[in-house]
Amino acid sequence: MRRARTRGRAAAVVVAVAFAAVPLFAGCGIQETDVIEAGGPASFQAFFDRDYEMLLFFRSPDGQLTPVIRSTEPPAGFGDGYSESGSGDQNSDDPAGPVPTEKVVLALLGGPQQKDRAAGLTTALPTARPGAAVKVERASGKVTTRLPLALEGLSSTALRQLTCTIAYSQEADGQVVVHLMGQDGASRSGTCGQ
């Protein structure tokens, strides 16, 4: 069945990310300046459509987390909708909702794409096995995620990658407690800001 999706549900996300002098405006005629120390980490605002895009967190060359917006839909010009087998819902004005957290976590475990690696982004996480499954439950303001990997031995960067990616897949502002459960029985809880 074909359903048209609306683009009116774009979300604005403000993410605090510490970074050094990055030439964001290189080639625009704006001269680079030195870093000025002035308080906490810098923040930026990213606009992404939670119905079609996901926010994944990878490791930048300086070791900090960097968000990457990844699309789940084909580029414009490939049709005006998508087909969804077994849907039964004929209301074309009803968007499908945010990308499922399970899909977002598996995309994170798939690692950075070629363009991400070209920008110097890496991951501290192991790659998921083919056919790996993620299970997500939300109750009492906490998101519990059962992962297809062992938590014991993961670095703090790897745990933060998981926590922030899951938090922002659940809430536009990333303000939710994330409880991670590994295959090895180990568990960790925290928020993206920790």
XYZ file of all heavy atoms in Angstrom, residues 53-101:
358
model
N 14.631 10.511 9.555
C 16.053 10.628 9.843
C 16.352 10.216 11.282
O 15.480 10.239 12.138
C 16.510 12.076 9.621
C 16.363 12.502 8.183
C 16.622 13.979 7.964
O 16.257 14.799 8.839
O 17.165 14.304 6.908
N 17.600 9.839 11.490
C 18.040 9.450 12.830
C 19.331 10.175 13.164
O 20.086 10.555 12.274
C 18.190 7.943 12.923
C 19.012 7.288 11.860
S 18.894 5.489 11.985
C 18.933 5.060 10.269
N 19.552 10.360 14.448
C 20.748 11.037 14.943
C 21.644 9.987 15.582
O 21.273 9.355 16.577
C 20.334 12.098 15.965
C 21.315 13.207 16.274
C 21.636 14.023 15.028
C 20.742 14.123 17.346
N 22.809 9.775 14.980
C 23.777 8.799 15.481
C 24.983 9.548 16.023
O 25.374 10.583 15.478
C 24.231 7.869 14.350
C 23.135 7.183 13.535
C 23.754 6.370 12.406
C 22.275 6.314 14.423
N 25.600 9.033 17.073
C 26.749 9.691 17.674
C 28.007 8.870 17.433
O 28.081 7.702 17.814
C 26.523 9.899 19.179
C 25.543 11.000 19.457
C 24.180 10.768 19.379
C 25.985 12.272 19.772
C 23.270 11.781 19.619
C 25.091 13.292 20.017
C 23.723 13.060 19.938
N 28.992 9.505 16.774
C 30.279 8.878 16.501
C 31.393 9.672 17.181
O 31.173 10.775 17.673
C 30.526 8.780 14.992
C 29.596 7.815 14.307
C 28.627 8.270 13.432
C 29.683 6.457 14.558
C 27.757 7.378 12.813
C 28.816 5.558 13.943
C 27.854 6.023 13.071
N 32.595 9.118 17.161
C 33.756 9.732 17.803
C 34.500 10.594 16.781
O 34.856 10.123 15.708
C 34.663 8.641 18.354
C 35.888 9.118 19.088
C 36.672 7.970 19.682
N 36.923 6.948 18.673
C 37.300 5.706 18.951
N 37.467 5.319 20.183
N 37.508 4.841 17.986
N 34.723 11.856 17.145
C 35.462 12.771 16.263
C 36.964 12.550 16.480
O 37.363 11.879 17.438
C 35.067 14.214 16.555
O 35.453 14.567 17.858
N 37.812 13.107 15.614
C 39.263 12.911 15.766
C 39.812 13.358 17.124
O 40.800 12.817 17.594
C 39.855 13.763 14.635
C 38.788 13.796 13.599
C 37.491 13.833 14.379
N 39.136 14.331 17.764
C 39.621 14.783 19.076
C 39.054 13.956 20.229
O 39.273 14.267 21.387
C 39.332 16.268 19.283
C 37.843 16.588 19.356
O 37.011 15.671 19.202
O 37.506 17.771 19.560
N 38.300 12.884 19.917
C 37.786 11.986 20.946
C 36.418 12.349 21.485
O 35.865 11.612 22.302
N 35.859 13.464 21.062
C 34.532 13.883 21.515
C 33.454 13.197 20.681
O 33.725 12.675 19.612
C 34.388 15.408 21.390
C 35.397 16.199 22.187
C 35.274 15.960 23.675
O 34.179 15.888 24.220
N 36.402 15.807 24.345
N 32.215 13.221 21.176
C 31.100 12.683 20.400
C 30.604 13.734 19.415
O 30.519 14.916 19.753
C 29.940 12.288 21.307
C 30.136 11.069 22.192
C 28.818 10.705 22.862
C 30.678 9.889 21.425
N 30.278 13.281 18.219
C 29.752 14.150 17.176
C 28.490 13.519 16.615
O 28.504 12.354 16.211
C 30.782 14.319 16.043
O 31.944 14.940 16.579
C 30.240 15.166 14.909
N 27.383 14.275 16.587
C 26.154 13.724 16.015
C 26.190 13.743 14.492
O 26.742 14.661 13.884
C 25.071 14.662 16.548
C 25.770 15.944 16.788
C 27.185 15.608 17.142
N 25.599 12.708 13.896
C 25.489 12.593 12.444
C 24.022 12.301 12.129
O 23.429 11.405 12.728
C 26.376 11.444 11.909
C 26.122 11.180 10.435
C 27.842 11.738 12.165
N 23.460 13.061 11.215
C 22.080 12.809 10.789
C 22.129 11.846 9.619
O 22.808 12.089 8.629
C 21.373 14.123 10.379
C 21.254 15.057 11.579
C 19.992 13.813 9.798
C 20.724 16.434 11.248
N 21.406 10.738 9.751
C 21.360 9.743 8.677
C 19.907 9.565 8.246
O 19.030 9.364 9.082
C 21.953 8.428 9.150
C 22.155 7.465 7.999
C 22.967 6.266 8.364
N 24.350 6.591 8.679
C 25.178 5.726 9.236
N 24.757 4.517 9.541
N 26.423 6.073 9.494
N 19.683 9.613 6.946
C 18.341 9.484 6.389
C 17.969 8.024 6.202
O 18.815 7.185 5.913
C 18.277 10.204 5.038
O 16.996 10.074 4.490
N 16.674 7.732 6.361
C 16.187 6.370 6.150
C 15.310 6.275 4.912
O 14.760 5.226 4.632
C 15.348 5.888 7.354
O 14.223 6.755 7.492
C 16.164 5.866 8.614
N 15.141 7.384 4.187
C 14.295 7.372 3.001
C 15.138 7.617 1.761
O 16.210 8.201 1.837
C 13.191 8.423 3.103
C 13.675 9.827 2.924
C 12.533 10.817 2.808
O 11.370 10.421 2.908
O 12.820 11.983 2.619
N 14.649 7.179 0.607
C 15.396 7.431 -0.614
C 15.387 8.921 -0.943
O 14.504 9.646 -0.480
C 14.634 6.635 -1.680
C 13.295 6.392 -1.105
C 13.444 6.422 0.384
N 16.371 9.381 -1.715
C 16.418 10.797 -2.075
C 15.169 11.235 -2.831
O 14.468 10.419 -3.426
C 17.650 10.891 -2.986
C 18.430 9.653 -2.748
C 17.469 8.619 -2.266
N 14.907 12.538 -2.818
C 13.758 13.100 -3.527
C 13.810 12.689 -4.992
O 14.878 12.569 -5.579
C 13.765 14.615 -3.403
N 12.630 12.481 -5.569
C 12.548 12.088 -6.962
C 12.343 10.604 -7.165
O 12.186 10.138 -8.283
N 12.358 9.828 -6.094
C 12.149 8.388 -6.189
C 10.723 8.017 -5.823
O 10.475 6.986 -5.241
C 13.134 7.630 -5.283
C 14.504 7.558 -5.849
C 15.409 8.575 -5.598
C 14.893 6.505 -6.644
C 16.675 8.525 -6.116
C 16.167 6.445 -7.162
C 17.056 7.455 -6.911
N 9.757 8.846 -6.115
C 8.364 8.551 -5.800
C 7.851 9.497 -4.749
O 8.603 10.175 -4.068
N 6.550 9.551 -4.629
C 5.947 10.490 -3.696
C 5.540 9.839 -2.387
O 4.904 10.441 -1.556
C 4.730 11.166 -4.340
C 3.686 10.152 -4.779
O 3.934 8.938 -4.626
O 2.637 10.584 -5.270
N 5.908 8.629 -2.173
C 5.555 7.945 -0.937
C 6.376 6.681 -0.807
O 7.395 6.528 -1.450
N 5.901 5.772 -0.026
C 6.581 4.496 0.106
C 5.537 3.428 0.238
O 4.384 3.690 0.522
C 7.528 4.521 1.314
C 6.822 4.459 2.640
C 6.746 3.269 3.361
C 6.187 5.588 3.157
C 6.080 3.228 4.567
C 5.518 5.532 4.350
C 5.467 4.355 5.056
O 4.816 4.295 6.245
N 5.938 2.204 -0.003
C 4.972 1.123 0.164
C 5.297 0.393 1.441
O 6.454 0.209 1.793
C 5.013 0.170 -1.037
O 6.237 -0.485 -1.087
N 4.269 -0.013 2.118
C 4.412 -0.680 3.400
C 3.498 -1.893 3.360
O 2.289 -1.766 3.347
C 4.005 0.295 4.506
C 4.253 -0.206 5.887
C 3.932 0.869 6.897
O 4.681 1.835 7.027
O 2.893 0.720 7.547
N 4.068 -3.062 3.308
C 3.238 -4.256 3.197
C 2.531 -4.553 4.511
O 3.081 -4.347 5.577
C 4.097 -5.453 2.789
O 5.075 -5.697 3.764
N 1.300 -5.006 4.415
C 0.535 -5.412 5.583
C 0.055 -4.273 6.440
O -0.364 -4.484 7.557
N 0.107 -3.045 5.948
C -0.252 -1.908 6.779
C -1.734 -1.818 7.047
O -2.155 -1.617 8.160
C 0.243 -0.618 6.130
O -0.265 0.484 6.811
N -2.550 -1.870 6.033
C -3.986 -1.791 6.233
C -4.477 -0.394 6.529
O -5.659 -0.137 6.494
N -3.583 0.547 6.844
C -3.975 1.913 7.147
C -4.034 2.697 5.844
O -3.053 2.823 5.150
C -2.953 2.539 8.099
C -3.296 3.972 8.469
O -4.360 4.464 8.073
O -2.487 4.575 9.160
N -5.190 3.243 5.532
C -5.360 3.935 4.276
C -5.305 5.450 4.435
O -5.524 6.164 3.492
C -6.694 3.528 3.645
C -6.787 2.039 3.525
C -7.282 1.610 2.177
O -7.690 2.412 1.370
N -7.251 0.326 1.946
N -5.031 5.940 5.609
C -4.971 7.375 5.849
C -3.604 7.894 5.425
O -2.620 7.739 6.127
C -5.221 7.668 7.334
C -5.239 9.151 7.624
O -5.036 9.971 6.723
N -5.474 9.493 8.869
N -3.532 8.531 4.256
C -2.251 8.980 3.723
C -1.724 10.222 4.434
O -0.601 10.616 4.228
C -2.371 9.263 2.230
O -3.284 10.313 2.018
N -2.525 10.878 5.272
C -2.069 12.057 5.996
C -1.424 11.702 7.320
O -0.901 12.561 8.024
C -3.243 13.017 6.249
C -3.782 13.597 4.956
O -2.997 13.757 4.008
O -4.984 13.879 4.924
N -1.461 10.446 7.730
C -0.939 10.013 9.018
C 0.504 9.551 8.850
O 0.756 8.519 8.257
C -1.802 8.870 9.554
C -1.340 8.389 10.913
O -0.783 9.194 11.676
O -1.549 7.197 11.196
N 1.497 10.316 9.365
C 2.885 9.888 9.243
C 3.132 8.633 10.070
O 2.434 8.363 11.027
C 3.687 11.072 9.758
C 2.743 11.871 10.573
C 1.349 11.569 10.077
N 4.159 7.912 9.706
C 4.470 6.646 10.369
C 5.033 6.849 11.771
O 5.030 5.933 12.557
C 5.449 5.845 9.528
N 5.522 8.007 12.099
C 6.109 8.247 13.408
C 7.618 8.183 13.357
O 8.214 7.900 12.330
N 8.281 8.448 14.488
C 9.743 8.455 14.521
C 10.343 7.109 14.118
O 9.722 6.061 14.288
C 10.061 8.763 15.981
C 8.850 9.439 16.507
C 7.696 8.826 15.767
N 11.550 7.175 13.586
C 12.281 5.960 13.235
C 12.424 5.127 14.506
O 12.819 5.653 15.549
C 13.670 6.311 12.651
C 14.468 5.053 12.360
C 13.532 7.181 11.406
N 12.099 3.839 14.458
C 12.190 3.004 15.668
C 13.607 2.977 16.252
O 14.591 2.895 15.524
C 11.784 1.611 15.173
C 11.050 1.842 13.905
C 11.607 3.087 13.308
N 13.691 3.034 17.563
C 14.982 3.036 18.252
C 15.789 1.788 17.914
O 17.015 1.853 17.781
C 14.768 3.162 19.777
O 14.083 4.390 20.029
C 16.083 3.151 20.529
